[in-house]
């Protein structure tokens, strides 16, 4: 998995259902400029087939703030985005999840990446999102809906 909009840092798929993918965004490719201001917004969807009782399906938006072409609050020791389902994340149900490794089923992960420039009216909507609304956004601003978002902002459909 690779693309001009991101750099693949790490990829892992177990024989069972666990997986992780870590990437860094290519900000100039996403924004079209080296000194851009705005938000990279990702619409994330995860669905299990068959339905998984331990890790439910989910949909949400998460946003990375870009100022002068750089990600704010950037941590050089961390990747920009990590998508994962891993047995080590679930504490007390860890034993049950480990028993399900090697069983049949799959997770379908679908993403869309949007660029919202600071000059656009949608910027104000994203800027008001809280870092506490979507736990899975891991400290990023996030929300479960985004009224007004359209294909005109779409940069990338799926991490390909």
């Amino acid at each position: 998995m690779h693309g001009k909009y991101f750099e693949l840092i790490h990829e892992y798929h177990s024989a069972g259902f666990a997986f992780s993918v870590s990437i860094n965004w290519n900000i100039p490719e996403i924004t079209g400029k080296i000194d851009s201001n705005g938000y990279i917004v990702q619409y994330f969807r995860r669905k299990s087939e068959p339905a998984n009782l331990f890790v439910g399906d989910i949909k949400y938006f998460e946003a990375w703030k870009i100022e002068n072409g750089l990600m704010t609050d950037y941590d050089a020791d961390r990747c920009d985005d990590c998508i994962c389902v891993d047995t080590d994340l679930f504490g007390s149900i860890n034993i049950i999840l480990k028993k399900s490794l090697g069983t049949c089923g799959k997770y379908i992960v679908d993403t869309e990446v949007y660029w919202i420039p600071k000059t656009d009216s949608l910027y104000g909507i994203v800027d008001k999102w809280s870092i506490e609304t979507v736990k899975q956004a891991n400290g990023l601003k996030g929300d479960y809906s985004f009224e007004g978002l359209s294909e005109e902002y779409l940069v990338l459909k799926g991490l390909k």
Side-chain angles (χ1 to χ4, degrees), residues 1-2 8-13 19-22:
M1 175 174 35
H2 67 284
L8 179 65
I9 304 300
H10 167 79
E11 184 173 21
Y12 167 77
H13 300 274
F19 70 91
S20 67
V21 176
S22 302

Side-chain angles (χ1 to χ4, degrees), residues 146-158:
F146 191 177
E147 299 292 323
L149 186 61
S150 69
E151 293 268 329
E152 87 180 81
Y153 303 95
L154 183 64
V155 174
L156 173 65
K157 193 169 179 92

Side-chain angles (χ1 to χ4, degrees), residues 54 58 77 117 122 140 154:
F54 305 110
I58 192 163
D77 294 330
L122 293 181
L140 295 171
L154 183 64

Side-chain angles (χ1 to χ4, degrees), residues 39 41 61 63 116-118 120-130 141-143 145-149 153:
Y39 279 101
V41 174
F61 294 88
I116 311 296
K118 190 172 186 174
D120 194 276
S121 60
L122 293 181
Y123 177 91
I125 294 170
V126 178
D127 204 45
K128 290 179 184 173
W129 289 352
S130 170
K141 290 182 178 226
D143 209 328
S145 66
F146 191 177
E147 299 292 323
L149 186 61
Y153 303 95

Side-chain angles (χ1 to χ4, degrees), residues 39 60-65 71-73 78 80-81 129-143:
Y39 279 101
Y60 61 88
F61 294 88
E62 58 187 347
W64 292 261
K65 189 171 188 176
M71 193 171 302
T72 61
D73 301 324
R78 245 179 68 177
D80 295 342
D81 192 19
W129 289 352
S130 170
I131 63 171
E132 297 174 4
T133 302
V134 180
K135 182 179 112 182
Q136 292 84 354
N138 198 24
L140 295 171
K141 290 182 178 226
D143 209 328

Side-chain angles (χ1 to χ4, degrees), residues 24 27-28 32 34 36-37 41 47 53 77 82-83 91 97 160:
N24 282 337
I27 296 169
I34 60 168
S36 52
N37 295 289
V41 174
K47 181 179 179 175
L53 300 176
D77 294 330
C82 180
I83 300 168
L97 287 171
K160 299 177 184 169

